[in-house]
Amino acid sequence: MIGLESLFKYSSVYNTTLHPENLLISLDRKILIENLLYLLRSQPKFVNFIDFCNIYISSETDDIVLLKRVYNEIIESNINNLPYKIISYSNQTILNLLAISFSLPPSNNLQAECDDNFRLKIVKAILAENEKIDNDKKKYILAENLPEPLSTSYILAMNILPYDDFTNNNSNAKLITACIKAAKLFDFCYKTNTYIDLINTFLEKYKCKNYLKYLHNVLKLFFTSKDEQIIYITLDSKDVNYLSDLLMLRSLSISINQIISLEDNIDYVYFRNKPIIEIQENSFIIISRNLLADKIFNGIFFDLNVINQQQHIVKDFFIDYTTKFSEQYLFYSIIEKMISKHKYISFNGEDFRKSNIKGEPDYYIRNWNDIFLFEFKDSKINKEIKISSDYNSLKKTIEEKFVQKSNKRPSAIKQLVNNINRILNYDISLDTKYNNQKIKIYPVLVVGDSKFSIPGISCILNEYLKKELENNGITNDRIMDLIIVDIDTLILYQNDFCRKNLTLRNIIDEYYSYLKKHKPISNIKDNVIYNAFHKYFSFSYFLLQKKRKSKIDEMYDLCERFKIEGLEKGG
């Protein structure tokens, strides 16, 4: 769950190391890619190396016998010592090998066969790449002697951050949030006349008459890629939608013979931008459901930004996106939906600005003596910092994005403390009808990027909050610990809050109790790591574990809605 498994390594078997590219360079690229994508989808059932070999390789060669024997010996010798699993490979392993494969000159051997010898080379390449990943993990070094919980928090964050996208995400849930955000972005642009030309240019590019038709076309791609299966998307040139489908697929695709340097694919940036491979003419294959789900929303923003840079339709689309859309449209609308059936006293940032209240909260909610104080930050993390696992870089990023900006202006933590102080002093004029001796204040940081809600970061920022409260002379046990939740989680659960299946105070208090539990779930061996590190989980992680959301039916409903409404609007 939190990415602390140990990988089975090449040197454990052969007492030497190996560069995986030396094994991959001679393999037919098409067959290699098909194998790697099969293994990527099959990772959950191939955790145990014996199971992996038994299913993936049919023959018992000397190499296979040796590999199985060594793996069993390692498991047996450490059975009472290791609280974590030793696994065959991770999603990161396969994506790294996929990146290496595209960095090599393509080998197209028409006589190549996917026999056990071919598969054995892939297995050895996996173990060699596991070695590199494991060695990189050992570089997680703290530059200073930190007390707990900061020390473990930084170690966890540096460990998980590089590959959280592929370890702790439900692709179905990702798709739902991506579609909802995409629909809201289009709605926002249509409601603001300035952006209509942007949208029209975007739709013309994909030969779609309206954005609902575009979203329906993208969703169709997602449903072709099922778990544990490789499904080819083959286009029929006689189909009425052939041209728009081809444009869509090619805009999202890498050619099977393309060469992509590893430097150009840091953090799989190339795969994120183009999560589909054109395996042959009119035939495509999806790399990853997670990557495709991400691309649905991020790709729209990227395209609109590029169009604007080329045509100069608005002054700065990026600034408009992060403030006018992300905060003032998306964030406000999600909170409004969550509390719409509750009799709360509530104000958003715009309400405060209209009353000339400076340094306002992004959202303020009071229910009797409970005050929920929200700050929203749509910050991104640099891909080089994300994969570096460097303590100093991560610390600086967290401080500049959420504590105090590089220009010395206050960010989320300082803003929260400033407004806590104002509440305690009845200095927020829109709401003063409370007793400051009885209120309980819940500070909430909503992040636009779910990478900032991984285990560890909530503890780090809570320590900054406590320090800032102390610096301001605020000592009050009714100021609760910091809550960190990403906007995608709020989108997923907005209806549960609206229908009162969840309430802010009850679920947050339950989260606080959960953090204090010694063993929140049964302490069987598979749960040891979860029980040891749950106190470092953010509110997002807690909620997603408590009330899982896959909602495949909701995805089909979205697809059907986009199709019907798109046709009604002439799509």
Side-chain angles (χ1 to χ4, degrees):
M1 190 282 180
I2 57 175
L4 294 177
E5 299 91 349
S6 180
L7 297 167
F8 187 34
K9 302 183 290 292
Y10 189 87
S11 64
S12 299
V13 182
Y14 297 104
N15 295 317
T16 186
T17 58
L18 179 73
H19 295 293
E21 53 267 35
N22 293 340
L23 289 166
L24 301 181
I25 193 167
S26 63
L27 301 182
D28 177 84
R29 182 181 278 193
K30 180 176 180 294
I31 299 175
L32 173 60
I33 298 303
E34 289 169 336
N35 273 263
L36 291 176
L37 295 184
Y38 164 72
L39 294 175
L40 185 63
R41 284 170 174 77
S42 304
Q43 193 275 336
K45 74 176 183 182
F46 286 162
V47 167
N48 181 284
F49 186 76
I50 306 300
D51 295 338
F52 170 39
C53 286
N54 288 342
I55 296 173
Y56 187 59
I57 297 182
S58 58
S59 59
E60 287 284 312
T61 64
D62 290 344
D63 274 297
I64 295 300
V65 170
L66 174 63
L67 289 167
K68 288 181 178 180
R69 177 175 60 78
V70 172
Y71 179 79
N72 274 328
E73 288 173 354
I74 293 172
I75 296 296
E76 290 171 6
S77 64
N78 290 286
I79 195 166
N80 295 319
N81 299 323
L82 295 180
Y84 49 81
K85 295 177 182 177
I86 299 175
I87 65 173
S88 307
Y89 60 87
S90 65
N91 289 333
Q92 184 188 13
T93 308
I94 303 302
L95 286 165
N96 285 359
L97 292 180
L98 191 66
I100 292 170
S101 301
F102 272 101
S103 73
L104 300 171
S107 173
N108 298 308
N109 182 359
L110 297 178
Q111 305 302 315
E113 293 183 14
C114 186
D115 55 17
D116 281 346
N117 183 54
F118 191 104
R119 294 189 184 96
L120 180 60
K121 289 182 179 180
I122 293 177
V123 170
K124 289 183 175 181
I126 285 172
L127 300 186
E129 187 58 29
N130 283 348
E131 188 98 35
K132 181 178 180 300
I133 293 171
D134 190 67
N135 288 337
D136 286 344
K137 283 185 179 181
K138 293 175 182 177
K139 297 175 183 176
Y140 301 161
I141 299 171
L142 298 180
E144 53 187 301
N145 187 21
L146 295 176
E148 293 295 354
L150 283 176
S151 179
T152 300
S153 295
Y154 272 106
I155 292 291
L156 277 174
M158 291 189 293
N159 185 293
I160 296 168
L161 187 60
Y163 55 94
D164 178 71
D165 295 355
F166 308 100
T167 305
N168 299 310
N169 281 298
N170 180 313
S171 59
N172 293 341
K174 257 191 173 185
L175 178 70
I176 294 168
T177 58
C179 287
I180 291 172
K181 287 192 294 185
K184 284 188 174 292
L185 178 57
F186 282 121
D187 286 339
F188 165 77
C189 289
Y190 276 119
K191 289 178 180 178
T192 311
N193 289 334
T194 312
Y195 306 115
I196 290 178
D197 287 343
L198 265 181
I199 297 298
N200 290 337
T201 305
F202 173 88
L203 294 174
E204 175 59 29
K205 175 181 176 180
Y206 293 105
K207 305 300 179 187
C208 293
K209 293 185 179 179
N210 57 64
Y211 80 81
L212 293 165
K213 173 64 175 173
Y214 171 83
L215 291 175
H216 174 255
N217 287 350
V218 177
L219 275 171
K220 284 193 305 183
L221 302 179
F222 194 90
F223 290 123
T224 65
S225 179
K226 300 177 182 178
D227 289 332
E228 298 186 18
Q229 296 181 30
I230 297 179
I231 305 239
Y232 291 92
I233 305 168
T234 303
L235 298 182
D236 181 355
S237 59
K238 298 178 182 179
D239 189 282
V240 65
N241 294 315
Y242 170 74
L243 183 57
S244 61
D245 287 347
L246 182 64
L247 284 170
M248 170 75 68
L249 283 163
R250 286 207 166 140
S251 72
L252 298 172
S253 295
I254 302 166
S255 166
I256 186 65
N257 292 317
Q258 194 165 342
I259 297 177
I260 307 164
S261 71
L262 293 176
E263 292 75 18
D264 289 336
N265 206 5
I266 293 173
D267 191 33
Y268 321 119
V269 64
Y270 220 100
F271 299 155
R272 292 178 190 277
N273 189 42
K274 294 182 179 292
I276 298 174
I277 299 170
E278 185 170 9
I279 211 87
Q280 57 193 43
E281 187 174 1
N282 287 343
S283 185
F284 303 81
I285 187 170
I286 292 171
I287 295 174
S288 161
R289 290 161 63 89
N290 275 331
L291 291 177
L292 182 59
D294 276 340
K295 180 63 179 176
I296 289 174
F297 178 69
N298 294 335
I300 294 169
F301 163 72
F302 177 81
D303 275 352
L304 292 176
N305 197 39
V306 169
I307 291 169
N308 188 62
Q309 289 172 352
Q310 294 170 343
Q311 300 186 12
H312 308 290
I313 296 171
V314 297
K315 184 176 180 181
D316 194 327
F317 181 74
F318 181 79
I319 296 296
D320 282 359
Y321 168 83
T322 55
T323 53
K324 294 180 181 178
F325 171 70
S326 290
E327 179 183 326
Q328 298 171 17
Y329 190 84
L330 177 65
F331 170 63
Y332 287 0
S333 69
I334 298 304
I335 299 295
E336 286 162 10
K337 175 69 176 293
M338 288 169 58
I339 65 174
S340 59
K341 295 184 180 179
H342 297 262
K343 295 181 179 179
Y344 296 154
I345 294 169
S346 64
F347 306 98
N348 63 34
E350 185 61 26
D351 295 326
F352 287 110
R353 288 189 288 274
K354 286 178 181 177
S355 298
N356 294 316
I357 296 175
K358 307 297 183 183
E360 72 284 350
D362 289 330
Y363 224 104
Y364 173 100
I365 298 170
R366 182 167 68 83
N367 182 34
W368 297 98
N369 289 324
D370 298 324
I371 295 178
F372 302 91
L373 198 58
F374 289 82
E375 283 295 328
F376 174 79
K377 297 298 174 189
D378 194 12
S379 300
K380 306 296 181 186
I381 188 165
N382 180 284
K383 63 180 182 293
E384 283 80 14
I385 293 173
K386 176 188 168 186
I387 67 170
S388 71
S389 300
D390 179 73
Y391 164 74
N392 286 324
S393 298
L394 180 59
K395 181 184 179 185
K396 183 179 179 182
T397 295
I398 290 172
E399 288 179 343
E400 290 186 352
K401 292 186 180 298
F402 301 114
V403 183
Q404 180 172 280
K405 300 175 184 177
S406 56
N407 61 7
K408 304 302 180 183
R409 293 179 62 188
S411 192
I413 297 300
K414 286 182 177 286
Q415 290 168 327
L416 283 167
V417 172
N418 288 341
N419 284 307
I420 288 170
N421 199 24
R422 296 165 80 178
I423 290 169
L424 293 174
N425 289 291
Y426 299 105
D427 196 24
I428 294 184
S429 58
L430 291 181
D431 181 32
T432 58
K433 295 180 180 180
Y434 55 82
N435 185 335
N436 68 358
Q437 299 300 310
K438 295 182 179 181
I439 57 169
K440 184 184 286 187
I441 301 175
Y442 295 81
V444 183
L445 172 57
V446 181
V447 293
D449 189 342
S450 61
K451 296 177 187 65
F452 290 114
S453 63
I454 63 171
I457 290 184
S458 58
C459 288
I460 294 167
L461 284 170
N462 190 51
E463 291 299 307
Y464 279 111
L465 178 72
K466 291 192 288 188
K467 183 177 179 180
E468 192 63 26
L469 287 168
E470 183 182 336
N471 291 343
N472 282 265
I474 302 173
T475 54
N476 190 323
D477 59 6
R478 293 187 305 280
I479 298 170
M480 309 305 289
D481 284 343
L482 181 68
I483 294 292
I484 290 190
V485 60
D486 57 73
I487 191 70
D488 287 2
T489 301
L490 294 183
I491 289 171
L492 276 179
Y493 293 97
Q494 60 180 322
N495 289 328
D496 293 281
F497 282 100
C498 179
R499 295 167 186 154
K500 302 184 181 181
N501 297 328
L502 296 172
T503 61
L504 283 170
R505 173 174 177 170
N506 288 347
I507 193 64
I508 291 176
D509 283 351
E510 188 176 340
Y511 168 64
Y512 290 142
S513 297
Y514 162 86
L515 294 179
K516 294 175 183 177
K517 287 182 179 179
H518 181 53
K519 296 175 182 177
I521 58 178
S522 59
N523 201 40
I524 61 176
K525 185 177 180 181
D526 286 349
N527 295 337
V528 169
I529 289 181
Y530 186 102
N531 281 332
F533 295 105
H534 73 280
K535 62 185 177 182
Y536 300 94
F537 291 179
S538 68
F539 181 70
S540 289
Y541 262 56
F542 161 74
L543 195 52
L544 289 166
Q545 292 302 306
K546 174 183 171 58
K547 194 174 177 66
R548 290 183 177 274
K549 290 271 184 177
S550 59
K551 287 195 172 181
I552 190 71
D553 292 337
E554 187 169 329
M555 290 195 299
Y556 282 107
D557 291 344
L558 277 172
C559 191
E560 192 62 19
R561 175 204 150 194
F562 294 149
K563 178 181 179 181
I564 293 171
E565 293 183 16
L567 290 172
E568 288 174 351
K569 293 185 178 183

